[in-house]
Amino acid sequence: MPVAIGVKAVMGASILVVEDEPAIQELIAFNLEQAGHKALLASNAEQALSRVQHVLPDLILMDWMLPGASGVDLVRKLRGNSRTEAVPIIMLTARADEQDKLFGLDSGADDYITKPFSTRELNARIKAVLRRRAPQMLEDRVEVGDLIIDPSEHRVTGGSKDIDLGPTEFKLLHFFMTHADRVYSRTQILDQVWGDHVFIEERTIDVHIRRLRAALHATGHDRLIETVRGSGYRFVRK
Ligand code: CA
């Protein structure tokens, strides 16, 4: 299969680890890489903010106690910024009572893990949060009617017929099928499918949508991709 440059991998999230203890930071980064993710590192709030300005991660693992600004302040800052408000965040806490405090604070984090945690627990939490917040990152099989996409086998079938898709069309369809019934602008589709800070022209999306529709035409599934005039595209469950 040809490799698509600039298209985000289906599996393997980029995860920002905000942790000031080098040994813990290193251990988490090692575990993430072992699980097929890409680890980005920051040791304090300032570094974390500068990191997300350059590359928007798919998920953030954030220590509760950081030098200077606390993890909670940082989560609030990220949630208050339109660029970072939707990034899934898992807080790392040193004690269970900190978790209780966090729940009370309604800090905006998606989940919490108490140190020390096992690799298995960390991976399970990451997967659960991604499933809820960024399902296109996972390799779960998705079905919409008799249209089925299986990222782990890189296979699409429509009414039991195989549908051949190029890598970009595959990722586009996967994004659509995991985000059905909502309208997405070309900019949003670009960010989600090609990745943040990738500069390609918006009409390139139209080219790939046309190819995707052509590939889905034989089984009649092209009708599931609607053009919403002046807004973008919507994948409908019909
Ligand atoms: Ca700390």
Side-chain angles (χ1 to χ4, degrees):
M1 196 191 79
V3 175
I5 307 293
V7 175
K8 227 191 226 177
V10 168
M11 193 49 190
S14 64
I15 300 179
L16 175 63
V17 182
V18 190
E19 167 64 67
D20 59 311
E21 285 165 65
I24 297 176
Q25 190 191 62
E26 205 173 297
L27 183 66
I28 294 172
F30 176 77
N31 288 335
L32 293 178
E33 305 269 350
Q34 289 292 105
H37 302 297
K38 183 174 189 288
L40 310 163
L41 305 175
S43 304
N44 55 51
E46 201 177 289
Q47 272 180 19
L49 289 170
S50 132
R51 279 279 190 188
V52 299
Q53 283 314 316
H54 289 100
V55 180
L56 198 59
D58 298 306
L59 187 140
I60 299 175
L61 292 176
M62 173 118 48
D63 187 26
W64 149 262
M65 286 302 282
L66 291 168
S70 79
V72 177
D73 293 335
L74 187 51
V75 174
R76 290 217 177 100
K77 217 171 254 183
L78 294 169
R79 287 291 179 249
N81 180 314
S82 62
R83 178 172 158 76
T84 51
E85 65 185 355
V87 178
I89 299 172
I90 299 176
M91 293 290 288
L92 310 176
T93 63
R95 303 186 311 269
D97 60 328
E98 287 182 351
Q99 274 195 23
D100 297 338
K101 248 195 238 171
L102 277 167
F103 281 115
L105 283 170
D106 192 19
S107 66
D110 293 276
D111 203 356
Y112 312 87
I113 307 181
T114 308
K115 297 176 192 173
F117 45 81
S118 67
T119 304
R120 184 192 287 195
E121 187 186 1
L122 178 65
N123 288 337
R125 294 295 184 94
I126 289 172
K127 205 168 176 187
V129 168
L130 287 177
R131 177 168 291 130
R132 210 161 65 229
R133 300 285 307 274
Q136 78 278 10
M137 297 302 305
L138 299 177
E139 297 201 312
D140 295 345
R141 182 182 138 110
V142 184
E143 297 183 22
V144 173
D146 63 354
L147 183 65
I148 299 165
I149 191 163
D150 190 336
S152 63
E153 291 185 11
H154 199 84
R155 192 166 177 218
V156 179
T157 54
S160 78
K161 273 193 198 120
D162 274 317
I163 297 171
D164 270 335
L165 294 179
T168 303
E169 287 71 37
F170 188 92
K171 288 186 169 95
L172 251 182
L173 181 63
H174 189 235
F175 172 74
F176 278 139
M177 288 179 73
T178 50
H179 295 78
D181 301 324
R182 271 182 288 170
V183 181
Y184 287 92
S185 70
R186 287 170 177 79
T187 311
Q188 287 171 321
I189 294 171
L190 249 183
D191 282 354
Q192 296 282 337
V193 177
W194 275 262
D196 183 49
H197 283 213
V198 174
F199 298 101
I200 65 162
E201 290 187 57
E202 292 195 347
R203 65 168 177 226
T204 306
I205 294 171
D206 299 329
V207 172
H208 288 287
I209 297 263
R210 208 176 306 139
R211 283 188 199 152
L212 177 57
R213 278 178 170 149
L216 295 175
H217 181 72
T219 54
H221 292 96
D222 53 324
R223 72 191 160 80
L224 301 181
I225 301 168
E226 295 182 347
T227 304
V228 182
R229 199 175 285 274
S231 300
Y233 293 99
R234 174 173 50 208
F235 183 89
V236 290
R237 267 185 270 247
K238 286 190 198 167

